[in-house]
Amino acid sequence: MVQGKINEIHGWAAMKPGIKVEPWSYTPRPLGENDVEIKIEYSGICGSDLHTIKEEWGGTSYPAIVGHEIVGKVITKGEKVTHLDEGDLVGVGAQVHGCLQDDCDACSRNLDPHCPHGVFTYNSKYADGHQAHGGYAEAVRVNASYALKIPKNIDPIYAPSLMCAGVTVFAPMLRKGVKKGDRVGVVGIGGLGHLAIQYAHALGAEVVAFSHSPNKREQCLELGASQFVDTSDKSQVDAVRRSLNYLFITSNSDSNQYNDYITWMTFEGQIVLLAVPTGQMTFAPIEFIHSEVAITGSLIGGVDALKKTLEFAAEHNIRPIVERFPMDKVNEALEHVDCGKARYRAVLENSTSSNL
């Protein structure tokens, strides 16, 4: 077993429910033969980070270092790692381990986020009992299969957001076969939505952006939307009813809005949840019979989807719009994101001046 170069990892951890993190260190799990150790340069802030440290989803194990949009350089690798070398710039998303075996029902279908042996990047435990910690830190150790090389033509500052937000929107588009000529709606023009517009447009779809903020219209059109619908204007919404093949929900819409979303879809249209609505959904079965509309969801993306997400972004110049914060200003950044002020992704930068 190779000895890691960092015996104690310094980071910023949530110690109790809230949106405050503080300096904290932990001893990482031993570096396995299939693992890599990564010195973190950038770590994006995702909405999931806030839900976790605030314990809004329950089950948070404190202290917790969150962050699953990680970019950095490999500084050590296990004996069996052959596809990565020290010095390689890599990205890590929301998962750091999966069995990736052909006899696994999930992994064999490129659905490794559902692998029964999977480990998420933070607030998750390995089989040996070690808790996984994320990217608000100086380093991280992960299974090398989940460390993806960043294409050379993607500036590293833009890569973190692609590792979670990017794959979250692109993976279901790939699985469902979004193609040229499809009409694709995107609800919520934020951290996920502004990337969903770009990916769908690059696939050749006619993109309809939905937002209650009319001041986002011009930016949506610049990102690739063919049409902008102000959801507070009933006449604009009525004009697009029964016209969409796909609708990607990227904001935490109220559960009762989904009844209206069904009316936006053409026959056999699909509504895809990428964010968690509040409350319970209630539908009359007859709505599905008459509309032949399906409602489904998607959980991040596995190794194969991550590779394709990065390659497609590199080829089609898909980039997130980001705001940069020094790692030691992480609490300011969390407040900024929690208040809904981020346009559209916040990225933390490690430097020698960080007080870790």
Side-chain angles (χ1 to χ4, degrees):
M1 182 173 291
V2 176
Q3 179 66 39
K5 290 187 177 179
I6 299 177
N7 296 322
E8 188 175 49
I9 293 178
H10 306 292
W12 294 82
M15 311 305 286
K16 60 183 179 180
I19 56 171
K20 180 183 178 182
V21 294
E22 57 188 73
W24 180 73
S25 302
Y26 70 97
T27 301
R29 65 190 292 269
L31 189 77
E33 60 186 11
N34 294 306
D35 295 340
V36 289
E37 186 170 61
I38 301 165
K39 186 171 179 60
I40 296 171
E41 297 184 359
Y42 302 98
S43 184
I45 294 179
C46 179
S48 300
D49 301 350
L50 287 161
H51 289 303
T52 299
I53 64 175
K54 293 161 72 174
E55 207 175 15
E56 292 177 334
W57 290 341
T60 300
S61 179
Y62 299 98
I65 296 179
V66 297
H68 58 205
E69 297 183 338
I70 301 167
V71 169
K73 289 181 179 176
V74 175
I75 56 174
T76 319
K77 65 177 186 175
E79 300 97 325
K80 291 189 176 181
V81 178
T82 58
H83 68 290
L84 294 174
D85 293 311
E86 292 185 14
D88 283 346
L89 185 71
V90 297
V92 177
Q95 187 175 3
V96 292
H97 179 78
C99 76
L100 300 178
Q101 298 299 306
D102 291 340
D103 59 355
C104 174
D105 182 51
C107 293
S108 63
R109 297 159 62 190
N110 292 322
L111 293 172
D112 32 308
H114 300 279
C115 175
H117 306 290
V119 179
F120 292 115
T121 307
Y122 59 75
N123 200 41
S124 184
K125 289 191 175 182
Y126 288 89
D128 60 10
H130 279 84
Q131 180 165 326
H133 289 289
Y136 297 6
E138 63 180 348
V140 69
R141 292 180 182 177
V142 306
N143 181 298
S145 294
Y146 289 89
L148 286 298
K149 285 186 180 180
I150 303 300
K152 293 187 182 301
N153 65 336
I154 296 180
D155 188 312
I157 189 64
Y158 298 119
S161 303
L162 300 176
M163 301 307 300
C164 178
V167 73
T168 294
V169 301
F170 192 49
M173 293 182 187
L174 289 175
R175 288 199 300 269
K176 297 181 183 305
V178 173
K179 62 187 184 304
K180 184 177 181 179
D182 287 336
R183 275 178 59 85
V184 173
V186 177
V187 173
I189 311 306
L192 293 177
H194 87 289
L195 284 167
I197 291 172
Q198 295 181 70
Y199 276 104
H201 172 71
L203 286 168
E206 180 182 347
V207 184
V208 183
F210 294 85
S211 175
H212 63 266
S213 302
N215 61 344
K216 293 183 179 179
R217 180 181 183 278
E218 291 306 316
Q219 190 161 61
C220 287
L221 298 178
E222 291 172 2
L223 290 171
S226 304
Q227 184 178 356
F228 179 87
V229 174
D230 179 354
T231 53
S232 64
D233 185 335
K234 185 177 183 298
S235 64
Q236 291 188 38
V237 175
D238 287 344
V240 297
R241 295 192 193 278
R242 303 299 179 201
S243 71
L244 302 177
N245 302 104
Y246 299 96
L247 182 64
F248 293 91
I249 312 297
T250 70
S251 64
N252 297 326
S253 305
D254 291 333
S255 56
N256 59 10
Q257 290 180 274
Y258 283 76
N259 300 79
D260 195 43
Y261 293 159
I262 290 176
T263 69
W264 300 359
M265 311 304 296
T266 189
F267 297 116
E268 298 186 325
Q270 294 190 55
I271 299 172
V272 186
L273 280 73
L274 303 179
V276 182
T278 57
Q280 301 292 316
M281 295 181 181
T282 303
F283 302 97
I286 197 69
E287 293 182 67
F288 295 101
I289 295 172
H290 281 171
S291 67
E292 299 199 24
V293 168
I295 298 179
T296 183
S298 180
L299 176 65
I300 54 173
V303 172
D304 182 68
L306 276 166
K307 290 177 181 176
K308 291 176 179 176
T309 297
L310 291 171
E311 291 168 357
F312 197 80
E315 180 182 355
H316 295 276
N317 196 33
I318 295 170
R319 302 292 186 270
I321 297 171
V322 303
E323 295 179 305
R324 306 163 76 145
F325 294 84
M327 184 67 77
D328 58 7
K329 301 296 184 184
V330 57
N331 283 307
E332 293 180 20
L334 288 169
E335 286 276 1
H336 187 70
V337 174
D338 192 51
C339 292
K341 296 179 180 178
R343 293 294 180 270
Y344 286 102
R345 306 294 293 187
V347 178
L348 302 169
E349 299 180 77
N350 260 326
S351 70
T352 54
S353 62
S354 292
N355 297 321
L356 284 176

